[in-house]
Amino acid sequence: MEQKGKELKVSAIENGTVLDHIPADQLFKVINILDLQHSPHPITFGTNLDSKMLGKKAIIKISGKFFKDEELNRVALVAPSANVNIIRNYEVVEKRKIAIPEIIEGIAKCSNPKCVTNHQKIKTIFTVITHNGATKLHCHYCEKETPIENVEVNSML
Ligand code: CTP
Ligand code: ZN
């Protein structure tokens, strides 16, 4: 860790992906969604870092790993404010916002206790609907709509 001005920074990486502006309380959900606990790559993260935008933010750096868009977009489910920096040779070569996918398969749980996906080994499928600024997941199996802020997540596997 290096101290730069008033900001506490996690060390720079040579190559890989930096996820920044993650709300601090969503860090472990993001780790879970990207299945980082099973990753062989060097990973550093910081949390409860000061952010003007979020109050407290978290940041995750994965060395040597470049994700597919659909993998990163799953993160938007729990951290829509997150952004992605692609690092090559210590330089930020690309900055990307992530977008909530239209269909979410496998990672979110249905909030209906009676839903078949909570009783059998069936992959969940939701369509994402946004109405009057509120985003909800509509279950393909039981039609229940769950507000995105209440969604519980499983890892990708
Ligand atoms: N970063 C890194 N390793 C590098 C270069 C950058 O880990 N070799 C990280 C920085 O620590 C930062 C993020 O990638 O968290 C984006 O870098 P940069 O665009 O330089 O920072 P900011 O201008 O603060 O980005 P933003 O405006 O998106 O907050
Ligand atoms: Zn359901």
Side-chain angles (χ1 to χ4, degrees):
M1 303 282 260
E2 75 193 66
Q3 192 86 34
K4 187 186 163 198
K6 275 187 175 171
E7 215 179 327
L8 186 63
K9 286 223 167 184
V10 184
S11 300
I13 61 172
E14 186 176 352
N15 287 293
T17 305
V18 174
L19 293 160
D20 199 356
H21 302 291
I22 300 166
D25 58 357
Q26 300 297 78
L27 172 65
F28 291 96
K29 285 189 190 169
V30 175
I31 288 172
N32 200 23
I33 285 179
L34 293 176
D35 200 35
L36 297 180
Q37 57 271 63
H38 298 117
S39 168
H41 295 273
I43 300 170
T44 52
F45 63 79
T47 188
N48 294 326
L49 307 171
D50 286 323
S51 159
K52 286 196 190 95
M53 198 167 72
L54 299 167
K56 296 284 177 193
K57 73 168 185 179
I59 184 164
I60 307 175
K61 305 189 180 194
I62 306 112
S63 291
K65 173 81 182 170
F66 301 93
F67 294 90
K68 295 186 193 127
D69 277 353
E70 59 256 41
E71 293 177 295
L72 292 171
N73 285 345
R74 290 163 172 253
V75 169
L77 197 57
V78 298
S81 59
N83 66 2
V84 176
N85 300 274
I86 309 298
I87 315 291
R88 296 196 192 265
N89 281 324
Y90 288 103
E91 300 285 328
V92 179
V93 295
E94 194 187 334
K95 275 185 182 285
R96 267 206 315 256
K97 283 298 292 173
I98 53 177
I100 299 177
E102 281 167 26
I103 308 245
I104 294 173
E105 289 190 34
I107 51 165
K109 282 193 213 166
C110 184
S111 63
N112 172 7
K114 291 190 175 149
C115 180
V116 66
T117 61
N118 287 317
H119 296 280
Q120 292 177 31
K121 240 183 163 254
I122 297 175
K123 190 157 101 174
T124 58
I125 304 173
F126 298 92
T127 39
V128 178
I129 43 180
T130 301
H131 190 63
N132 293 336
T135 304
K136 291 177 181 170
L137 301 192
H138 178 268
C139 177
H140 170 76
Y141 292 98
C142 74
E143 310 262 323
K144 165 100 178 168
E145 290 181 0
T146 307
I148 200 155
E149 55 275 16
N150 298 345
V151 163
E152 283 186 56
V153 294
N154 302 310
S155 75
M156 282 170 73
L157 300 177

